[in-house]
Amino acid sequence: MATDRIQSVKRSVEVNRKKVTKLEEDLKDIKSKIKVKAPRPTIIISNNELAIRKTTVEPNFTTKTVLTDSTWHYVEMYFKRKQSDKKNKKRYEEALNYWSQSKNFFIATENLDILSKPLTTYYCFLNATKALLTCKSVAFDTKHGVSGKRIDSKSNNLNNEIIFIHPSGVLSGLCNYLKQPVRTSPQNRREEYTLKDILYNLEFIHRAYNMTYTNQPELFIPVEEPRFVHEKSLKKGWIETKLEPQYSNKTTLSKLKGFEIDPYYDNSDGYVIRIKKRFKWNAPRNKPNAISGSALRSYYQNHRNRFRYIYSANKLWYIKRADLDNSHIIDRNSLILMFGAMHRLSEMSRYDPNTLDKHLSGKAGWLISEFITKSIYQFIDMISSEITGDDFRVTGFRT
């Protein structure tokens, strides 16, 4: 009887041992499934991790974000430092003169009412653009390069406010600098847009636009931490970014032409997406060879315009949709669109303030007001980055 009891205990111990082993195997399997993978390695140059920069043409990847509440003085000091080069002294002196005028128009704008702001804001844009083109040695005609007209004086509709971009002038110079030259043909020697369409294509007032015109789809998808990553074994690099959880679904992904989900990540709580196209990247000890450096610059130029940011104390990045096939989409840098739209509003402010007042009192009043008051900060932040190659951010935040 004692022997039977011992055998029973042994059998019970063996059963429990098997249960424990099974539980350990199940736990190990669960842990392997929920294990968070380390992020892909960021591309590093000169000890600096590469992320998408505000600058579109000549970004300085090796500098830290500049913390300042105003870029005016920083850019002024930049021009003065550049004047130490005797060969280019005159060029930077002229650029500084334009910059100083732009600053004065900016200050004047702050003290004007909404009907008068467009006039001084436009001249702020004009002179800041001249400063950029002068310091970058981009030739430009001194004409403005933009004009406008109203096609129906009886209808208070933004579709009736027409903006023309001409192949010569300051705005044309800006287009050339941004590698988006004015497109002309024998039948049409200038580009033509409506004020409504231009406002539709501006990221920093897009919420106001969609609340004003509810029948048009959203153009901008918010993303986080757009950066350059690489796969060492493949010797390839690409741009990676994160979708916010509420946008991490197949519907949103279908709107992002040229992007795909990265299966390397779990993606259950939020999608990590990447640009499908790759570039060659071979950088032993973070020192890229000539081919890789050239491939990176070319890749950046080809894909940077898909990303847009909003001037803010926070990092607010968006991808502009490229899947919509309609005539309201304008494939233009926001600097160009802001310049053109503000010129049209400045014409109304100067020659026809009553019409501008009707727009401000009408359906699109809040939208236009948001553009007039916010665009000057967005424009100057963007142009400051293009001049210096640096990123700027309001003080008091860790970067």
Side-chain angles (χ1 to χ4, degrees), residues 276-293:
K276 293 179 181 179
K277 291 188 177 181
R278 314 284 190 263
F279 62 93
K280 294 180 180 179
W281 187 252
N282 185 21
R285 298 182 180 179
N286 298 325
K287 294 181 179 179
N289 57 30
I291 294 176
S292 295

Side-chain angles (χ1 to χ4, degrees), residues 54-65:
K54 291 182 177 182
T55 310
T56 58
V57 179
E58 295 179 348
N60 190 341
F61 288 117
T62 60
T63 58
K64 292 185 177 181
T65 301

Side-chain angles (χ1 to χ4, degrees), residues 75-89:
V75 175
E76 178 184 338
M77 297 305 296
Y78 172 85
F79 285 144
K80 288 181 177 179
R81 288 196 304 271
K82 290 291 186 179
Q83 289 176 26
S84 62
D85 180 2
K86 293 182 179 180
K87 182 179 178 182
N88 297 309
K89 188 173 188 292

Side-chain angles (χ1 to χ4, degrees), residues 80 97 152 160 219 262 301-302 363 391:
K80 288 181 177 179
N97 288 335
D152 184 356
N160 293 328
L219 289 185
D262 188 347
Q301 291 299 322
N302 289 335
K363 175 182 178 180
D391 272 19

